[in-house]
Protein backbone atom coordinates (compact mmCIF):
# COMPACT_ATOMS: atom_id res chain seq x y z
CA UNK A 1 0.00 0.00 0.00
CA UNK A 2 3.06 2.21 0.51
CA UNK A 3 1.27 4.59 2.86
CA UNK A 4 3.38 6.48 5.42
CA UNK A 5 2.88 5.72 9.10
CA UNK A 6 0.85 8.41 10.82
CA UNK A 7 2.75 10.30 13.53
CA UNK A 8 1.60 9.65 17.11
CA UNK A 9 -0.28 12.52 18.72
CA UNK A 10 2.04 12.70 21.73
CA UNK A 11 5.24 12.93 19.68
CA UNK A 12 6.77 16.41 20.08
CA UNK A 13 7.01 16.81 16.32
CA UNK A 14 3.33 16.13 15.65
CA UNK A 15 2.43 19.77 15.29
CA UNK A 16 2.12 22.27 12.46
CA UNK A 17 2.34 20.85 8.93
CA UNK A 18 3.12 17.39 10.33
CA UNK A 19 -0.59 16.92 11.09
CA UNK A 20 -1.83 17.62 7.57
CA UNK A 21 -1.68 13.99 6.45
CA UNK A 22 -3.19 12.50 9.60
CA UNK A 23 -2.45 11.70 13.23
CA UNK A 24 -2.40 8.46 15.21
CA UNK A 25 -4.21 8.62 18.58
CA UNK A 26 -4.10 4.87 19.31
CA UNK A 27 -3.20 3.49 22.72
CA UNK A 28 -2.38 0.03 24.00
CA UNK A 29 -5.12 -1.27 26.33
CA UNK A 30 -7.43 1.66 25.53
CA UNK A 31 -11.13 1.00 25.38
CA UNK A 32 -14.60 2.36 24.89
CA UNK A 33 -15.04 2.50 28.65
CA UNK A 34 -12.70 4.59 30.84
CA UNK A 35 -12.18 1.72 33.29
CA UNK A 36 -10.96 -0.65 30.59
CA UNK A 37 -7.25 -1.42 30.80
CA UNK A 38 -6.78 0.03 34.28
CA UNK A 39 -4.85 -3.17 35.05
CA UNK A 40 -2.11 -1.74 32.80
CA UNK A 41 -2.35 1.68 34.51
CA UNK A 42 -1.19 3.82 31.58
CA UNK A 43 -3.64 3.76 28.68
CA UNK A 44 -5.70 6.27 26.72
CA UNK A 45 -9.44 5.61 26.48
CA UNK A 46 -11.53 6.65 23.46
CA UNK A 47 -12.96 9.66 25.32
CA UNK A 48 -9.48 11.11 25.77
CA UNK A 49 -8.52 10.30 22.20
CA UNK A 50 -11.55 12.31 21.05
CA UNK A 51 -10.33 15.24 23.15
CA UNK A 52 -6.94 14.98 21.50
CA UNK A 53 -8.52 14.90 18.06
CA UNK A 54 -10.42 18.06 19.02
CA UNK A 55 -7.07 19.73 19.70
CA UNK A 56 -5.85 18.64 16.27
CA UNK A 57 -9.00 19.97 14.60
CA UNK A 58 -8.46 23.33 16.29
CA UNK A 59 -4.85 23.41 15.12
CA UNK A 60 -5.97 22.61 11.57
CA UNK A 61 -8.26 25.63 11.66
CA UNK A 62 -5.36 27.80 12.78
CA UNK A 63 -3.17 26.42 9.98
CA UNK A 64 -5.63 26.42 7.10
CA UNK A 65 -8.54 28.60 8.11
CA UNK A 66 -11.98 27.37 9.15
CA UNK A 67 -13.33 26.58 5.68
CA UNK A 68 -10.29 24.69 4.38
CA UNK A 69 -9.94 22.77 7.66
CA UNK A 70 -13.60 21.73 7.52
CA UNK A 71 -13.15 20.54 3.93
CA UNK A 72 -10.01 18.56 4.79
CA UNK A 73 -11.66 16.87 7.77
CA UNK A 74 -14.78 15.96 5.79
CA UNK A 75 -12.64 14.38 3.05
CA UNK A 76 -10.46 12.48 5.53
CA UNK A 77 -10.82 8.86 6.55
CA UNK A 78 -11.13 8.05 10.25
CA UNK A 79 -10.22 4.47 11.24
CA UNK A 80 -11.64 3.41 14.60
CA UNK A 81 -11.06 0.07 16.29
CA UNK A 82 -12.33 -0.47 19.82
CA UNK A 83 -13.95 -3.26 21.80
CA UNK A 84 -11.25 -5.91 22.19
CA UNK A 85 -9.83 -4.41 25.36
CA UNK A 86 -13.30 -3.85 26.77
CA UNK A 87 -13.57 -7.63 26.88
CA UNK A 88 -10.07 -8.95 27.60
CA UNK A 89 -9.04 -6.09 29.89
CA UNK A 90 -12.38 -5.57 31.57
CA UNK A 91 -15.33 -7.96 31.30
CA UNK A 92 -13.27 -11.16 31.09
CA UNK A 93 -10.87 -10.28 33.89
CA UNK A 94 -11.68 -12.31 36.99
CA UNK A 95 -10.42 -9.53 39.24
CA UNK A 96 -12.84 -7.02 37.73
CA UNK A 97 -16.42 -6.74 39.03
CA UNK A 98 -17.89 -6.04 35.58
CA UNK A 99 -18.99 -9.59 34.73
CA UNK A 100 -20.54 -10.00 38.18
CA UNK A 101 -22.53 -6.80 37.80
CA UNK A 102 -23.66 -7.28 34.19
CA UNK A 103 -25.03 -10.12 32.11
CA UNK A 104 -23.40 -10.43 28.66
CA UNK A 105 -26.37 -8.69 27.03
CA UNK A 106 -26.37 -5.88 29.61
CA UNK A 107 -22.66 -5.30 29.08
CA UNK A 108 -23.04 -5.31 25.31
CA UNK A 109 -25.83 -2.76 25.54
CA UNK A 110 -23.69 -0.60 27.82
CA UNK A 111 -20.71 -0.79 25.48
CA UNK A 112 -22.69 0.00 22.34
CA UNK A 113 -24.55 2.85 24.00
CA UNK A 114 -21.25 4.46 25.00
CA UNK A 115 -19.74 3.76 21.58
CA UNK A 116 -22.72 5.40 19.89
CA UNK A 117 -22.21 8.59 21.89
CA UNK A 118 -18.52 8.63 21.05
CA UNK A 119 -18.99 8.06 17.32
CA UNK A 120 -21.70 10.73 17.28
CA UNK A 121 -19.29 13.10 18.99
CA UNK A 122 -16.70 12.35 16.32
CA UNK A 123 -19.30 13.23 13.67
CA UNK A 124 -20.10 16.50 15.46
CA UNK A 125 -16.39 17.29 15.33
CA UNK A 126 -16.47 17.07 11.55
CA UNK A 127 -15.78 13.44 10.65
CA UNK A 128 -17.85 12.05 7.78
CA UNK A 129 -15.93 9.00 6.51
CA UNK A 130 -15.50 6.57 9.38
CA UNK A 131 -14.25 3.00 9.10
CA UNK A 132 -15.13 1.00 12.21
CA UNK A 133 -13.17 -2.21 12.72
CA UNK A 134 -15.00 -5.12 14.30
CA UNK A 135 -13.53 -7.23 17.09
CA UNK A 136 -11.61 -10.38 16.16
CA UNK A 137 -11.99 -13.89 17.63
CA UNK A 138 -10.73 -13.16 21.13
CA UNK A 139 -11.59 -16.69 22.19
CA UNK A 140 -8.64 -17.89 20.09
CA UNK A 141 -5.86 -15.64 21.39
CA UNK A 142 -3.27 -17.40 23.59
CA UNK A 143 -4.18 -15.35 26.68
CA UNK A 144 -7.78 -16.50 26.48
CA UNK A 145 -6.83 -20.10 25.71
CA UNK A 146 -5.15 -20.06 29.11
CA UNK A 147 -7.86 -18.07 30.88
CA UNK A 148 -10.65 -20.28 29.54
CA UNK A 149 -8.65 -23.46 30.22
CA UNK A 150 -8.38 -24.69 26.64
CA UNK A 151 -7.13 -28.28 26.65
CA UNK A 152 -5.86 -28.79 23.11
CA UNK A 153 -5.75 -25.26 21.78
CA UNK A 154 -9.41 -25.10 20.89
CA UNK A 155 -10.95 -21.62 20.90
CA UNK A 156 -13.41 -20.57 23.58
CA UNK A 157 -16.91 -20.56 22.12
CA UNK A 158 -18.11 -18.55 25.11
CA UNK A 159 -15.70 -15.71 24.42
CA UNK A 160 -16.16 -15.80 20.67
CA UNK A 161 -19.94 -15.65 21.10
CA UNK A 162 -19.54 -12.52 23.22
CA UNK A 163 -17.59 -10.99 20.34
CA UNK A 164 -19.98 -12.12 17.62
CA UNK A 165 -22.95 -10.65 19.48
CA UNK A 166 -21.08 -7.38 20.00
CA UNK A 167 -20.12 -7.19 16.32
CA UNK A 168 -23.72 -7.86 15.26
CA UNK A 169 -24.90 -5.04 17.51
CA UNK A 170 -22.16 -2.77 16.18
CA UNK A 171 -23.30 -3.30 12.59
CA UNK A 172 -26.83 -2.28 13.55
CA UNK A 173 -25.50 0.73 15.43
CA UNK A 174 -23.56 1.94 12.39
CA UNK A 175 -26.61 1.52 10.17
CA UNK A 176 -28.58 3.67 12.59
CA UNK A 177 -25.90 6.35 12.68
CA UNK A 178 -25.89 6.50 8.88
CA UNK A 179 -29.64 7.03 8.99
CA UNK A 180 -29.59 9.64 11.75
CA UNK A 181 -26.53 11.70 10.83
CA UNK A 182 -26.71 13.53 7.47
CA UNK A 183 -23.86 12.90 4.99
CA UNK A 184 -22.24 10.39 7.33
CA UNK A 185 -20.62 7.19 6.11
CA UNK A 186 -19.91 4.74 8.90
CA UNK A 187 -18.62 1.48 7.43
CA UNK A 188 -18.08 -1.75 9.34
CA UNK A 189 -15.10 -3.93 8.43
CA UNK A 190 -14.81 -7.50 9.64
CA UNK A 191 -11.71 -9.04 11.18
CA UNK A 192 -13.34 -11.95 12.99
CA UNK A 193 -13.82 -14.23 9.98
CA UNK A 194 -10.38 -13.69 8.50
CA UNK A 195 -8.49 -14.37 11.74
CA UNK A 196 -10.79 -17.28 12.58
CA UNK A 197 -9.97 -18.67 9.14
CA UNK A 198 -6.25 -18.35 9.85
CA UNK A 199 -6.78 -20.23 13.11
CA UNK A 200 -8.82 -23.07 11.67
CA UNK A 201 -6.68 -23.65 8.58
CA UNK A 202 -3.27 -22.17 9.38
CA UNK A 203 -1.33 -24.02 6.69
CA UNK A 204 -3.50 -22.46 3.98
CA UNK A 205 -2.21 -19.04 5.05
CA UNK A 206 1.41 -19.97 5.65
CA UNK A 207 1.22 -20.53 9.41
CA UNK A 208 2.54 -23.52 11.31
CA UNK A 209 1.56 -22.46 14.84
CA UNK A 210 -1.95 -21.15 15.43
CA UNK A 211 -2.46 -21.42 19.19
CA UNK A 212 1.01 -20.77 20.57
CA UNK A 213 2.49 -17.26 20.86
CA UNK A 214 5.90 -16.56 19.32
CA UNK A 215 6.88 -14.72 22.50
CA UNK A 216 5.21 -15.33 25.85
CA UNK A 217 5.29 -17.32 29.05
CA UNK A 218 3.66 -20.59 30.09
CA UNK A 219 1.15 -22.70 28.25
CA UNK A 220 0.43 -21.44 24.72
CA UNK A 221 2.77 -18.55 25.56
CA UNK A 222 -0.37 -17.01 26.95
CA UNK A 223 0.33 -16.84 30.69
CA UNK A 224 2.70 -13.89 30.58
CA UNK A 225 3.67 -11.10 28.18
CA UNK A 226 6.69 -10.84 25.90
CA UNK A 227 9.02 -9.22 28.42
CA UNK A 228 12.68 -8.33 27.84
CA UNK A 229 13.94 -11.58 29.32
CA UNK A 230 11.61 -13.79 27.21
CA UNK A 231 13.18 -15.17 24.06
CA UNK A 232 11.03 -14.72 20.97
CA UNK A 233 10.80 -17.43 18.35
CA UNK A 234 13.18 -17.20 15.38
CA UNK A 235 10.52 -17.98 12.77
CA UNK A 236 7.79 -15.52 13.73
CA UNK A 237 6.24 -15.49 10.26
CA UNK A 238 5.15 -19.07 10.91
CA UNK A 239 3.15 -17.99 13.97
CA UNK A 240 -0.35 -16.53 13.93
CA UNK A 241 0.19 -14.75 17.27
CA UNK A 242 3.29 -12.87 18.33
CA UNK A 243 2.42 -12.53 22.03
CA UNK A 244 -0.52 -13.52 24.26
CA UNK A 245 -2.78 -10.91 22.63
CA UNK A 246 -1.57 -9.73 19.23
CA UNK A 247 -1.18 -11.27 15.77
CA UNK A 248 2.23 -11.34 14.13
CA UNK A 249 3.27 -8.96 11.37
CA UNK A 250 2.56 -11.71 8.82
CA UNK A 251 -1.01 -12.05 10.09
CA UNK A 252 -1.50 -8.30 10.41
CA UNK A 253 -0.38 -7.84 6.80
CA UNK A 254 -3.24 -10.05 5.61
CA UNK A 255 -5.71 -8.47 8.03
CA UNK A 256 -4.66 -5.01 6.88
CA UNK A 257 -4.93 -5.97 3.22
CA UNK A 258 -8.52 -7.11 3.78
CA UNK A 259 -9.36 -3.90 5.62
CA UNK A 260 -7.79 -1.77 2.90
CA UNK A 261 -9.89 -3.53 0.27
CA UNK A 262 -12.95 -2.52 2.29
CA UNK A 263 -11.66 1.05 2.35
CA UNK A 264 -11.25 1.17 -1.43
CA UNK A 265 -14.63 -0.47 -2.02
CA UNK A 266 -16.47 1.96 0.24
CA UNK A 267 -14.46 5.18 0.23
CA UNK A 268 -12.27 5.08 -2.85
CA UNK A 269 -8.48 5.22 -2.99
CA UNK A 270 -6.91 7.19 -0.13
CA UNK A 271 -3.30 6.70 -1.25
CA UNK A 272 -3.09 10.18 -2.81
Amino acid sequence: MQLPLLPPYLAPGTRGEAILNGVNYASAAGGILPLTGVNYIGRIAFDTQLEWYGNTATELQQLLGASAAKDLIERSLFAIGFGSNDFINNYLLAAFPTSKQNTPSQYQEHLLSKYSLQLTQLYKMGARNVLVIGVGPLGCIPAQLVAQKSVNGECSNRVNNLVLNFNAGLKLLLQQLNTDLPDSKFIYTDTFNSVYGFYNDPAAYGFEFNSEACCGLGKYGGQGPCLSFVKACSNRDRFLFFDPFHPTEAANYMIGKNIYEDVVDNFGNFTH
Side-chain angles (χ1 to χ4, degrees):
M1 288 174 272
Q2 299 182 344
L3 294 172
L5 294 176
L6 299 181
Y9 174 81
L10 289 178
T14 309
R15 297 294 180 268
E17 292 187 1
I19 70 174
L20 293 178
N21 290 316
V23 177
N24 182 358
Y25 305 92
S27 165
I32 296 168
L33 302 179
L35 179 65
T36 290
V38 71
N39 49 311
Y40 286 108
I41 304 175
R43 82 279 179 220
I44 309 301
F46 193 16
D47 283 339
T48 301
Q49 293 182 36
L50 285 170
E51 292 177 14
W52 287 357
Y53 162 63
N55 296 337
T56 301
T58 298
E59 188 171 356
L60 283 173
Q61 292 174 7
Q62 295 168 349
L63 283 169
L64 304 174
S67 179
K70 178 177 181 292
D71 178 67
L72 176 62
I73 290 170
E74 289 183 350
R75 289 187 292 106
S76 297
L77 175 66
F78 293 75
I80 309 294
F82 284 97
S84 296
N85 286 309
D86 294 287
F87 287 104
I88 60 177
N89 288 313
N90 192 328
Y91 192 75
L92 292 171
L93 283 181
F96 272 43
T98 315
S99 62
K100 301 174 182 65
Q101 297 169 346
N102 298 269
T103 65
S105 59
Q106 287 172 335
Y107 187 64
Q108 175 183 314
E109 183 178 353
H110 180 45
L111 271 185
L112 291 173
S113 176
K114 178 68 171 176
Y115 212 4
S116 177
L117 293 173
Q118 292 164 329
L119 293 173
T120 300
Q121 179 64 23
L122 183 63
Y123 170 87
K124 290 179 178 178
M125 298 165 79
R128 293 296 180 268
N129 301 302
V130 184
L131 182 77
V132 181
I133 304 166
V135 178
L138 300 178
C140 301
I141 66 174
Q144 284 302 308
L145 297 185
V146 171
Q148 306 301 321
K149 298 179 172 55
S150 175
V151 176
N152 297 308
E154 66 277 3
C155 301
S156 167
N157 289 330
R158 169 181 172 259
V159 174
N160 280 344
N161 284 334
L162 289 174
V163 171
L164 287 170
N165 288 333
F166 172 81
N167 285 343
L170 179 57
K171 292 177 191 177
L172 294 176
L173 165 60
L174 299 182
Q175 291 173 11
Q176 191 62 50
L177 291 176
N178 285 329
T179 298
D180 295 343
L181 304 176
D183 301 319
S184 66
K185 197 170 189 180
F186 289 88
I187 299 297
Y188 175 89
T189 186
D190 175 76
T191 60
F192 187 100
N193 288 310
S194 58
V195 178
Y196 196 60
F198 303 161
Y199 197 93
N200 285 323
D201 191 6
Y205 299 95
F207 299 115
E208 185 177 352
F209 305 97
N210 63 340
S211 60
E212 182 181 348
C214 169
C215 186
L217 295 169
K219 190 172 184 180
Y220 305 119
Q223 288 181 282
C226 183
L227 300 172
S228 58
F229 61 84
V230 182
K231 185 177 180 180
C233 65
S234 60
N235 55 340
R236 62 189 64 186
D237 285 352
R238 303 294 292 171
F239 282 73
L240 173 55
F241 294 103
F242 178 73
D243 65 10
F245 304 99
H246 304 103
T248 56
E249 182 179 356
N252 275 322
Y253 177 83
M254 289 185 280
I255 296 167
K257 187 173 183 291
N258 291 339
I259 291 174
Y260 186 72
E261 288 172 355
D262 275 351
V263 169
V264 173
D265 288 346
N266 289 282
F267 299 105
N269 195 326
F270 272 80
T271 58
H272 302 292

